[in-house]
Amino acid sequence: MPTLSAYTNVENTALVILQEKGFQIWYAREYDLFYAEKNGWDFAANGAVELLGVIAIFEHQNPKSFREYWWKIDDPDLVRNLPAKPNPYKPVWRK
């Protein structure tokens, strides 16, 4: 059992975090999408946890101005080379 998973009972927590970070957030029922905006940078996702993840990419990359594919990191190519199993570890909930 993971310590935390993306699940519906985590959605409100993700939205509160985004609001506390200064984003305006909204849900467009007609598109079934969650949105956030801050300083003109706007983001959309299928769920609140996903939206928080997209904004984490923005915060990590910290772009100063818009350019195409500002978010992209190609190296290393983890999508094609991700291991099937983790290295051994002890979950915090077992400690």
Side-chain angles (χ1 to χ4, degrees), residues 63-76:
K64 302 302 179 208
S65 61
F66 180 82
R67 65 176 168 69
E68 200 166 339
Y69 299 110
W70 60 264
W71 47 266
K72 197 169 185 186
I73 302 172
D74 290 322
D75 190 39

Side-chain angles (χ1 to χ4, degrees), residues 37-53:
E37 181 276 336
K38 182 177 176 181
N39 299 325
W41 291 89
D42 53 345
F43 308 91
N46 293 317
V49 174
E50 209 173 56
L51 186 60
L52 183 59

Side-chain angles (χ1 to χ4, degrees), residues 1-5 83-95:
M1 168 191 278
T3 305
L4 181 64
S5 298
K85 295 181 180 180
N87 292 326
Y89 71 96
K90 188 172 192 173
V92 296
W93 56 269
R94 283 200 175 162
K95 294 180 181 180

Side-chain angles (χ1 to χ4, degrees), residues 23-40:
F23 288 88
Q24 69 165 321
I25 52 176
W26 66 98
Y27 175 71
R29 294 190 197 292
E30 64 272 21
Y31 303 114
D32 194 26
L33 288 173
F34 289 82
Y35 289 87
E37 181 276 336
K38 182 177 176 181
N39 299 325

